[in-house]
Structure formats: C-alpha cells, structure tokens
Amino acid sequence: MRSTRRELLKLMAATGGGALTASGLLISRAAPTSSAATAAPASSAMSLAPIVTPFQTAMPIPPVLRPVSVTSTTDTYVLPVKKASAEIIPGVSTPVLTYGGTFPGPTIKARSGRRTVVKQTNQIQDGTSLHLHGAVVDPSSDGGPMDLVLPGTTRNYTYPNQQVAATLWYHDHAHHVEAEHVYRGMSGLYLISDNNEDSLPLPRGSYDVPIVVRDIGLNEDGTLYFDHLFNSRPQILVNGKPQPYFQVAARKYRLRILNGSNQRPFEFRLSTGDEFVQITSDRGLLGAPYTTTSVPLSPAERADIVVDFSRYPVGTSVVLKNSYFPAPGTEDILRFDVVRTADDPSRVPARLADLPPTATPTVTRSFALQFDDQTGDGMINGKMWDENRVDTTVRWGDAEIWEITNTHPFIPHNFHIHLVDFRVLDRNGKPPLPGEAGLKDTVRVEAGETVRILVSFKFPYSGRYYYHCHLIDHSSMGMMANLDIVRA
Ligand code: C2O
Ligand code: CU
Ligand code: CU
C-alpha cells in the first residue's frame, strides 16, 4: 500500500491534482498542487464547513434495536426508513436519512441459527432496498438494486443467520441512489454471535465496542454536501460524531471496526505505533489471532481488533490514526482516554475458529474494474451494470478462482460479492497477510493490483446475486454486475 500511496502522490504532482474531473472520483477539482497536504481542503471550491477540532465530543455507541416479538425461532424487528435530523457537529442540526431515526442506524444483534425478520416501511420519497451485507440469504431478502420498497410500502426481510459469528452491516442498495442514501445515513451494524465465539474468553459486554468510521462533507449551514467526489468529504466521523474521544479502562477491549465510508479507504494504527491483535475479518473469526500494528480497511470491510489499554497509565491517551492517504484532518480517527483501572479476565486464545477447508477450483474468471475517464461511467469488463444482462453464470457447488484487476493508475477499488464468503489467494502474486487470510466478502484492489480470490458457490441458496466495487459511488455509476448461481 505504501508504494501505491507514493504513486498516487506522484501522479497528483504529474497531473496537477486535477485529474479525472469527469469521473471526479479521487482527486478534488480544487487544490492543484504536488503536495498531499493541499489535497484535502476542497472546501474552498465547494464552500464546505471547516473540519471541526478533533476530540471535543464523546463517542456514542449506536443503540441496540429491541425486537417487537421473540418466538422460539425468530426475532422480529421494525425498522422504518425515515428522515431525521442528527446533531453531528455540536449545536448544529443536520438533516439525514435514517433507519429508525438514528445516525448511524441501530445495531441489530442476531444469533447464529435463529431467524431475524426486519419489517421495513419506507417513509421517504425514493424507493429503497435493504441489503444485509455479508448475509447468507435468499435473493428475495438480499435487497437487490431493483427490488425496491416503494415509498409508503412495507416489506419483510428474512435472515436465517445460518452462518458463523461475524460483524455484518446493513445499508441501502437501491440502484443509482444507493451512494447518496448510504452517505446520508442509511446504514447500521448487524452482529451475529454463536457458540464458538461465546466459548472464547474474548472481551465482552461493555468491553466489546462498535467503531463505525466514515467521512462526510458538511455545508456551512450544517446540511450534508453530496457529490461523487472523494475530497468533498473531509470530515471523519466515528459512530456519527466528529473525531470523538472515548473513555476506556486500562484493560483489553474488542473494537469492531467497520469502514462505513462511501469511498475512503483507511489504514488504522495506534499513535504509539503499538501492536494490537486482529481477531476477525469480514465474515468471522480468523483461525488464529494476528498481532500487527496496522489494519487496512476499504469501504464495507470489517475487522475486530483487541487493544490492550493496560499498557497505558491512567490519565494518558492513545489515538487511533489513519495512515492511508492521510490528507490533513483525516489522520485522527478517535482518541482513547484511559481513565480508570479495571479487572481483566479476558484474553485472546491462540486458536479462534476452524475455518472451512478450501475447495478445488475448476473455473477461472477475470474481472477488470474500470472507469471511462471521459464520462465517469463505472464498468466491469467494459460494461456498465444493466439489470437485464446476465454477466456471470456459475454452477451451484462449483469452486472458482476470480482474478480481479484494477488497471487505474491511482484510484483504489475493492470487490464485493453478495451471498458468498471467499478466501484471498494472492495479491499481485504474493500471499495475503494473515489479516485478510480469513473469510472475506469484500477485498481491497488497489491501483494497479491484481487480486485472486477462491470462491465456493456452495451456499444454501441460488438465483440472482450481484458483485460490485464497494466504493459505493463507483457501483452507483455502473461498476456492478449480475451473478446467477444455477443448480444443474
Ligand atoms: Cu454492501 Cu452489494 O453491498
Ligand atoms: Cu453485500
Ligand atoms: Cu471502485
């Protein structure tokens, strides 16, 4: 990644930083200079509100949604889509689009093997489509791009949760408006637990904390500024608040990090450079914990990490930092203030989970993630998404190698497939680091990279699914395709 960033900066210098105004996806129209330091304040051109001073606001924990009914098999929730206003910046009210009125949406807690039903009424003017990202689910509840809940109507989504413990998230998927809907607030966490996870002595309860990181751009009047440009979103939020602080005890915490941004990749580190332990990837626990000093997450990727704050004396602080293209104001994510001591019976065991054996692939396919730099159209293998075209047909039960290439000189992409989880085989021919060697559903594909993944289409469902870049502005511009899984 480091050399990718160097390339990016070099290219910005070479192009005067104003490249790709047509697709406008990474580099701002403003700030045409050679230094990364000037790439951030797109604000002058767009008159965005200035970034607020970090660490002024306490980090909230998104509320956990209460079921409206609980039976021996099923938990039912009511979660309307509605307009609301959120106090993102202290004293400023910002109109947002929400699930259930909060920004971000409430967390749904599910149990492996128990069914969840989400009853959704659409109370906004646009069609919406609820997608549970990472769910093993029938197409009818997958939230396809054209499978809309029309304004004023209600729909039940059913999630069987026949999958292992994992940090998932739900978000809107209504085609062409998904980027704007998600940007304006339509997302939330969905946490599945299971017996294996329960048997492990990991930090739990109030020491198991969601960290949803994303960026926004605010107009001077406190409304959200929206276009498809990366640099029009210079304000980093955690759980809906600007670069907050969080008071912790001097003990271990499990931090469930979701990159909930539309387009901004992050690479998370501690300001001390200290190690932490990554215990999950997108679709569940890693086989073994991975001790590291950084975790890169592109949009929609998740990683749970365990940080041991007992290393820091009470009264001190450590900052969660971003080192991926850290334009000014975007380096600081969240400050942990160590305010008390606490008992700590938790530990990270040497074995976390048994990952399923990998199958032998029989088919190889290639996918190129592309932009038309003139029009800004997003494409996969030269084609924009078309609801009526079948792009890829796979046989249920087959294992395949998918080779994904990002040919762009500096725009990052990633790749997400609905329904399935997959394993990363290699990145530019090199095996993945342990942090992405577990079960994944979204994988980074940096500029110039080729990533190979192994996918086994042996999930209990078949039919129409989708794959796309999850820099969600890109998919809303067409970088998405239809996947049909057919039973012989
Ligand atoms: Cu999280 Cu098709 O998306
Ligand atoms: Cu998805
Ligand atoms: Cu992309």
Side-chain angles (χ1 to χ4, degrees), residues 334-394:
L334 167 63
R335 190 182 70 197
F336 298 101
D337 297 338
V338 183
V339 296
R340 62 185 173 94
T341 56
D343 286 347
D344 190 0
S346 74
R347 78 196 157 77
V348 180
R351 289 298 310 161
L352 295 169
D354 294 322
L355 301 191
T358 52
T360 306
T362 52
V363 178
T364 299
R365 299 177 201 267
S366 298
F367 301 91
L369 306 176
Q370 301 150 323
F371 272 116
D372 181 326
D373 285 355
Q374 301 314 312
T375 60
D377 292 342
M379 297 174 294
I380 298 179
N381 289 344
K383 291 175 185 155
M384 289 178 77
W385 184 66
D386 175 344
E387 61 172 306
N388 296 312
R389 186 183 65 231
V390 180
D391 296 288
T392 303
T393 303
V394 304

